Amino acid sequence: MPVAPPAPAAAGVAVTARNLTKRYGTGPAAVVALDGVDVEFGAGRFTAIMGSSGSGKSTLLHCLAGLDRPTGGAVRIGGTDIGGLDDRRLTLLRRDRIGFVFQKFNLLPALSAEENILLPLAIAGRRPATEWLRQVVAAVGLADRLRHRPSELSGGQQQRVAVARALITKPWVIFADEPTGNLDSRSSAEVLRLLREAVDTLDQTVIMVTHDPVAAAYADRAVFLADGRLVRDLVGPSPEQVLDVLGHLDDAGASVGQR
Ligand code: ADP
Ligand code: MG
């Protein structure tokens, strides 16, 4: 069954989290990874999720993307309340409507770059729209590498293949978890420019977890987590502003905690 198109009421907002909580384990050993997160992510925007190690960034991304189920609260993607989907429909929504980019590129080693890019469509039994494939391949700058296997590509090239694979379905939203975590600074800049271009010229929505202030400054907005709570929200972040906020996050987390 196809997933419904985005509801008009959700225009302008790609993803919403309401009072999102996530607890791992039970009893005294329980860890509260998300503690009542309320946030909206604009459509056609590039948003960075930041915070120190263990603050809940990956947990938030996984709950937003339907890779993990929250303990409480709700997530809407393109107007669909994903908590209301059974596992099969959630899998279809992830496959057809969401793009993923991970720190480890997660390419299939036996497939060429082009086959990796087309994999989400192949799995769905869909044919690529020729013009979109051309635009995506041009954007990632890999036109002369399409026949190469991942092992014949640099880390930066492999991650650009992964971004192209995320783009190929024209998803409602692309989620990236530390996409530059395994890359040198030059390759990181290429991948970040590509995510920026996906938003600016291909009209995509990107939500990226990073702990790198330089990476966050490519985004239109940076939201900051401390101890599973959203504590700051910066529009048009510069690396300096991000560094400054990161330096004071523990204070912010403590003050929120005292309320
Ligand atoms: P970040 O990505 O910001 O480093 P995470 O979302 O990975 O943070 O983790 C947030 C908190 O939840 C941490 O205290 C972490 O140890 C805990 N946590 C994450 N995943 C699990 C899990 N599968 N089981 C138990 N605790 C977890
Ligand atoms: Mg993480």
Side-chain angles (χ1 to χ4, degrees), residues 195-214:
L195 292 172
R196 187 68 253 174
E197 192 181 342
V199 170
D200 290 341
T201 68
L202 303 177
D203 204 23
Q204 296 290 294
T205 301
V206 175
I207 301 175
M208 170 181 75
V209 162
T210 182
H211 64 266
D212 175 3
V214 173

Side-chain angles (χ1 to χ4, degrees), residues 57-58 177-178 209:
K57 303 183 297 296
S58 293
D177 193 355
E178 302 277 6
V209 162

Side-chain angles (χ1 to χ4, degrees), residues 238-256:
S238 70
E240 295 74 23
Q241 280 177 309
V242 170
L243 256 181
D244 186 54
V245 171
L246 286 176
H248 296 90
L249 270 188
D250 291 338
D251 320 344
S255 65
V256 170

Side-chain angles (χ1 to χ4, degrees), residues 61-106:
L61 197 84
H62 289 180
C63 289
L64 293 174
L67 290 168
D68 199 355
R69 299 243 185 213
T71 311
V75 172
R76 299 181 77 82
I77 299 181
T80 299
D81 180 350
I82 64 172
L85 302 178
D86 62 22
D87 285 347
R88 199 183 75 82
R89 296 184 74 194
L90 188 58
T91 300
L92 288 179
L93 179 127
R94 282 199 310 263
R95 186 190 78 185
D96 297 337
R97 305 299 188 183
I98 299 179
F100 292 98
V101 181
F102 298 102
Q103 181 171 349
K104 297 176 181 169
F105 319 125
N106 291 1

Side-chain angles (χ1 to χ4, degrees), residues 55-165:
S55 59
K57 303 183 297 296
S58 293
T59 302
L60 176 59
L61 197 84
H62 289 180
C63 289
L64 293 174
L67 290 168
D68 199 355
R69 299 243 185 213
T71 311
V75 172
R76 299 181 77 82
I77 299 181
T80 299
D81 180 350
I82 64 172
L85 302 178
D86 62 22
D87 285 347
R88 199 183 75 82
R89 296 184 74 194
L90 188 58
T91 300
L92 288 179
L93 179 127
R94 282 199 310 263
R95 186 190 78 185
D96 297 337
R97 305 299 188 183
I98 299 179
F100 292 98
V101 181
F102 298 102
Q103 181 171 349
K104 297 176 181 169
F105 319 125
N106 291 1
L107 301 177
L108 292 189
L111 301 185
S112 69
E114 183 173 36
E115 288 164 340
N116 269 287
I117 293 170
L118 293 175
L119 191 63
L121 294 178
I123 290 172
R126 286 160 63 194
R127 283 172 183 281
T130 318
E131 175 55 19
W132 182 244
L133 175 63
R134 195 196 58 74
Q135 280 185 57
V136 166
V137 167
V140 299
L142 291 169
D144 57 347
R145 294 283 188 283
L146 289 177
R147 307 268 164 258
H148 289 59
R149 302 270 172 92
S151 62
E152 299 162 339
L153 299 173
S154 71
Q157 289 170 335
Q158 290 183 60
Q159 194 63 309
R160 285 189 277 142
V161 171
V163 174
R165 179 183 57 186

